[in-house]
Every structure is written in structure tokens, then in C-alpha cells.
Amino acid sequence: MDRLELDQLKRILRECAGEEEGVDLDGDVLDQYWFELGYDSLAVLQATGWIEREFDVVLDGEDFDDADTPRRYLDMVNRVLAERASV
């Protein structure tokens, strides 16, 4: 697969870390910060490990500081996937 979509990311987050009560991941979540969605850095790290295994990629830990919302996280992951696909 060469692209991670929001629906896939939400499914992965739910599988890896559950879903915070009172948070609607099916709403407009692209630009909400992880903590607003009920996810801490450990939850995002668990999802990242899953993505790395399933997509056979390595994500750069330095990019995580900027990936503080689902939109930025998807951009980071999809950039790596696009680079891999172009090789």
C-alpha cells in the first residue's frame, strides 16, 4: 500500500489504544491535537509501530514533534510511503 488514509488511521488507533469516552473519531478530527482526541504519545507510538510493521517502513522519530495532529501525522507517513514507492 502506498498511502494511509484517515479511516485506516482511526481504525489503527482504536485497535492499538482504544477510543476515549466522549471523543468522536468519526467527526472532524484532522486538525485536532492528539491530546484533544484522548491520545498520548504512547498511543501514537503504538500506532506507529503497527504502521511500520504492516507497511514495512521506518518512520523518522524526529518528524514526530511536528506530527501533532492526524493531518500532520498522515502527511508524515504518506511522505515516507511515497518515497518508498518512487524507489
Side-chain angles (χ1 to χ4, degrees):
M1 182 169 290
D2 61 346
R3 184 157 187 81
L4 180 66
E5 300 294 336
L6 179 60
D7 287 338
Q8 293 170 297
L9 177 59
K10 290 189 290 190
R11 181 182 51 78
I12 293 165
L13 286 166
R14 285 177 175 134
E15 287 178 16
C16 291
E19 187 171 355
E20 184 76 20
E21 188 174 322
V23 174
D24 181 16
L25 284 182
D26 293 323
D28 185 18
V29 298
L30 271 175
D31 296 312
Q32 290 185 342
Y33 293 106
W34 292 121
F35 71 88
E36 294 174 320
L37 298 172
Y39 295 111
D40 59 12
S41 59
L42 181 58
V44 176
L45 190 59
Q46 288 175 321
T48 299
W50 191 98
I51 290 166
E52 288 181 328
R53 286 188 305 279
E54 294 299 313
F55 289 88
D56 194 29
V57 295
V58 175
L59 300 172
D60 188 347
E62 292 182 16
D63 290 338
F64 285 103
D65 289 339
D66 295 329
D68 54 356
T69 67
R71 180 185 308 276
R72 291 177 183 154
Y73 186 86
L74 287 168
D75 288 345
M76 176 190 68
V77 171
N78 288 326
R79 183 173 53 251
V80 172
L81 292 174
E83 289 170 4
R84 183 187 69 181
S86 68
V87 174

